[in-house]
């Protein structure tokens, strides 16, 4: 019989750019709760925003929502995961969203949990008396009743750490498909080659799109974009203004512009520029703004009406996106896309502040915490 520890260390964000290691007692698991030993967690751009200035007002908070780990205690009422697969102690899992099922959005669009007005995500939940261990930047995490989770025993640790951000791009891809503008011969652009943009490229390539244009200002990220399937890599630093950049894009697309574009940066000016790159009758998906980074301006005549652009927004992901996401990662790996190479830096829990700073300086691609 395995004797479980009595406490768990966690990296607590106590204020802007202040992280402290604190110990919390491990509560007795209820019949509908799960105790998970954390194996690792990626650092998301949202974590960095929270680290920099606590815009959500969550501090003190344990961040980390791109996590994975092994079940060490299982409530007797928990029999299967969110896909209906049997679950036992020792299984490796990832978590998905928490929805209230009571707000107007949940009642009106029950299949779109990402639109829940009380949407919850482990790693972005406030501290409370019962559940201190709410984020994956810890040694252990406690999953409360009605949590959504998936057993992923067949995946490597690196693959599991990419599931949550991959769910973001799969949701964006499903939103983009609604426009009817994506097909095998589509010319598609991905603006911004951070982890989300690079996974977006991999998802497009996995579904069979071969003409993919990547835009970024970082040569290393553009090289990774090529490895993941981008056929054209454009360094925006080579073009003094948007007019010259637009001209280059039109040259590469026979004078028309791209059929569809994904905006994967959090930069307002980039979001405004994207409309210039899309052909008449084309479309775009806005993926990049998970926090309020400001406003941008477009010309409704030239950018929208005259070109009849179809634009869709994409917000996080739903529970239903996870099975597709898992299949995407398996398929991308099978065709030889180097997804695991996205992870460039690994840090222990005690060095989480250093990992945040590295992320802020964009010195790597995907920075992760790996449990010791």
């Amino acid at each position: 019989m395995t004797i479980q520890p009595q406490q768990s260390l966690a990296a607590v964000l106590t204020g802007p750019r202040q992280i402290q290691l604190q110990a919390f007692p491990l509560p007795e698991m209820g019949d509908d709760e799960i105790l998970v030993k954390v194996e690792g967690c990626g650092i998301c751009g949202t974590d960095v925003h929270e680290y920099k200035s606590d815009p959500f007002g969550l501090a003190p908070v344990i961040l980390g929502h791109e996590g994975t780990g092994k079940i060490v205690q299982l409530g007797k009422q928990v029999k299967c995961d969110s896909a209906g697969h049997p679950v036992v102690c020792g299984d490796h899992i990832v978590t998905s969203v928490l929805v209230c099922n009571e707000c107007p959005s949940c009642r009106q669009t029950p299949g779109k949990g990402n639109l829940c007005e009380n949407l919850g995500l482990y790693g972005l939940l406030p501290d409370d008396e019962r559940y201190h261990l709410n984020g994956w930047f810890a040694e252990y995490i406690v999953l409360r009743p009605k949590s959504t989770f998936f057993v992923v025993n067949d995946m490597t640790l690196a693959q599991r750490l990419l599931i949550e951000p991959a769910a973001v791009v799969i949701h964006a891809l499903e939103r983009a498909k609604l426009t009817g503008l994506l097909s095998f011969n589509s010319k598609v652009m991905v603006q911004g080659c951070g982890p989300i943009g690079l996974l977006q490229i991999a998802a497009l390539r996995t579904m069979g799109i071969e003409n993919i244009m990547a835009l970024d200002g970082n040569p290393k990220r553009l090289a990774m974009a090529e490895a993941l399937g981008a056929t054209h890599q454009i360094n925006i630093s080579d073009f003094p203004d948007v007019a010259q950049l637009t001209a280059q894009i039109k040259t590469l697309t026979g004078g028309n512009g791209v059929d569809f574009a994904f905006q994967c940066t959090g930069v307002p000016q980039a979001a405004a520029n994207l409309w210039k790159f899309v052909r008449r009758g084309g479309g775009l998906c806005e993926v990049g703004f998970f926090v309020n980074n400001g406003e941008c301006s477009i010309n409704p005549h030239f950018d929208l009406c005259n070109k009849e652009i179809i634009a869709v927004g994409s917000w996080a992901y739903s529970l239903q996106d996870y099975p597709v996401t898992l299949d995407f990662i398996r398929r991308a790996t099978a065709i030889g896309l180097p997804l695991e190479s996205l992870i460039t830096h690994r840090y222990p829990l005690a060095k989480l502040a250093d990992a945040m700073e590295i992320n802020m300086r964009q010195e790597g691609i995907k920075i992760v915490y790996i449990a010791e």
Side-chain angles (χ1 to χ4, degrees):
M1 179 177 177
T2 302
I3 300 175
Q4 301 303 331
Q6 298 301 303
Q7 65 179 23
S8 171
L9 284 178
V12 182
L13 181 75
T14 57
R17 298 177 92 149
Q18 297 176 11
I19 291 179
Q20 296 178 3
L21 281 186
Q22 296 182 14
F24 295 92
L26 290 175
E28 286 291 324
M29 291 298 102
D31 291 347
D32 297 309
E33 297 175 327
I34 305 172
L35 180 64
V36 179
K37 189 179 190 306
V38 177
E39 295 175 281
C41 183
I43 294 177
C44 174
T46 304
D47 293 319
V48 174
H49 282 292
E50 185 64 15
Y51 170 75
K52 286 167 59 178
S53 60
D54 188 24
F56 303 124
L58 294 175
V61 63
I62 301 170
L63 298 174
H65 54 271
E66 298 180 357
T68 184
K70 182 171 66 174
I71 295 175
V72 292
Q73 286 186 15
L74 190 64
K76 64 182 181 181
Q77 297 297 331
V78 184
K79 304 297 184 182
C80 60
D81 72 0
S82 298
H85 299 135
V87 58
V88 297
C89 280
D91 280 339
H92 301 279
I93 66 163
V94 293
T95 49
S96 186
V97 291
L98 298 165
V99 298
C100 73
N101 293 317
E102 296 178 356
C103 70
S105 291
C106 282
R107 293 180 184 275
Q108 293 169 16
T109 55
K112 297 183 177 180
N114 62 310
L115 300 182
C116 172
E117 294 171 16
N118 303 301
L119 185 68
L121 196 65
Y122 284 106
L124 292 171
L125 298 175
D127 183 57
D128 60 59
E129 280 296 322
R130 169 67 179 166
Y131 299 105
H132 294 291
L133 298 168
N134 289 322
W136 286 93
F137 291 148
E139 292 179 323
Y140 291 86
I141 185 171
V142 177
L143 304 190
R144 58 190 66 189
K146 299 182 180 180
S147 291
T148 59
F149 69 98
F150 293 85
V151 174
V152 285
N153 291 334
D154 64 317
M155 292 186 169
T156 67
L157 176 57
Q159 289 172 333
R160 286 184 273 135
L161 291 173
L162 295 173
I163 290 172
E164 195 277 346
V168 172
V169 309
I170 291 302
H171 185 78
L173 187 57
E174 294 301 318
R175 292 284 295 154
K177 286 179 182 178
L178 296 176
T179 68
L181 291 168
L182 292 179
S183 61
F184 288 115
N185 64 350
S186 297
K187 298 179 178 67
V188 182
M189 169 185 290
V190 175
Q191 182 186 49
C193 293
I196 295 298
L198 290 168
L199 283 167
Q200 195 78 66
I201 290 168
L204 290 165
R205 186 67 191 89
T206 302
M207 71 173 286
I209 292 177
E210 297 188 356
N211 197 325
I212 305 170
M213 187 180 301
L215 265 69
D216 201 273
N218 186 316
K220 291 183 179 179
R221 294 188 172 191
L222 288 171
M224 181 60 71
E226 181 177 17
L228 290 172
T231 47
H232 298 87
Q233 304 83 46
I234 298 179
N235 191 325
I236 60 174
S237 301
D238 295 336
F239 300 90
D241 55 50
V242 67
Q244 294 183 44
L245 181 56
T246 303
Q248 174 66 10
I249 291 164
K250 288 190 173 183
T251 297
L252 293 173
T253 55
N256 295 321
V258 297
D259 300 308
F260 199 88
F262 291 86
Q263 204 296 113
C264 299
T265 79
V267 180
Q269 188 57 54
N273 291 346
L274 191 72
W275 296 75
K276 316 293 183 188
F277 308 148
V278 179
R279 68 163 173 83
R280 299 186 77 185
L284 61 84
C285 179
E286 176 55 62
V287 191
F289 287 86
F290 290 95
V291 296
N292 180 9
N293 282 340
E295 298 182 358
C296 67
S297 297
I298 67 168
N299 185 303
H301 171 68
F302 288 112
D303 294 332
L304 182 59
C305 294
N306 181 264
K307 295 167 79 172
E308 283 203 351
I309 284 180
I310 303 174
V312 294
S314 183
W315 180 250
Y317 46 78
S318 295
L319 174 68
Q320 292 81 357
D321 293 310
Y322 261 58
V324 180
T325 299
L326 301 181
D327 285 339
F328 153 60
I329 292 177
R330 294 178 184 119
R331 180 59 184 158
T333 301
I335 65 174
L337 299 184
L339 292 186
E340 295 188 25
S341 297
L342 289 170
I343 298 176
T344 56
H345 294 68
R346 296 163 173 82
Y347 285 85
L349 193 62
K351 298 288 186 181
L352 188 62
D354 294 340
M356 291 284 189
E357 296 290 337
I358 287 285
N359 197 307
M360 288 168 57
R361 296 196 295 269
Q362 295 189 359
E363 293 180 10
I365 297 178
K366 174 53 67 177
I367 319 296
V368 300
Y369 148 53
I370 298 293
E372 297 177 301

